[in-house]
Amino acid sequence: MTSHDQFAGVRYLVDDVQAAIDFYTTHLGFTLHSHPAPAFADVTRGPLRLLLSGPASSGARATPGDLGAGRNRIHLTVDDLDTEIARLRGAGLTFHSDVVSGPGGRQILLTDPADNLIELFEPAR
């Protein structure tokens, strides 16, 4: 195992690696882990290692065909969903859905600069 075995890794294909780094570190509390420019970077938040693969990365080239972004998404738990929505809207971000409430809590979807989905989730109290 490598030193990365402490993380759960998710790969997102992005159009612009630097724009993705800026988005995740500025708005969602991720920390830059590595950046072998310009094809790839990875950012971390807790045990999540998000692999940001640009068009020239081997991870992006391994994808058969042009599938585009899927319906899968990373799920980030927040303490106060309304506060997060207000903060992110204030930073100029737009959301992909309205707030949805269910028995487990409330959630909303936003997208990164490459249209990958991110779910912000506030558990029911």
Side-chain angles (χ1 to χ4, degrees):
M1 291 286 167
T2 67
S3 62
H4 296 295
D5 64 350
Q6 64 192 355
F7 298 112
V10 174
R11 183 180 309 277
Y12 268 177
L13 303 181
V14 300
D15 302 317
D16 181 330
V17 173
Q18 188 60 54
I21 292 168
D22 294 343
F23 175 84
Y24 285 99
T25 60
T26 300
H27 302 297
L28 298 178
F30 282 78
T31 301
L32 181 63
H33 187 261
S34 69
H35 185 203
F40 173 83
D42 62 331
V43 294
T44 60
R45 177 178 160 166
L48 173 60
R49 178 177 175 229
L50 190 56
L51 309 158
L52 305 170
S53 295
S57 74
S58 59
R61 291 192 310 263
T63 303
D66 184 15
L67 302 176
R71 294 181 52 123
N72 295 323
R73 56 191 176 245
I74 59 172
H75 170 97
L76 303 177
T77 302
V78 299
D79 292 326
D80 184 336
L81 186 61
D82 295 324
T83 298
E84 286 299 307
I85 292 168
R87 180 182 68 81
L88 295 170
R89 279 197 174 126
L93 301 183
T94 56
F95 289 85
H96 190 71
S97 73
D98 293 324
V99 173
V100 175
S101 295
R106 301 167 56 229
Q107 65 189 24
I108 193 167
L109 297 176
L110 69 143
T111 56
D112 72 8
D115 291 331
N116 293 298
L117 291 171
I118 300 122
E119 176 184 320
L120 300 180
F121 176 76
E122 178 187 347
R125 311 247 166 174

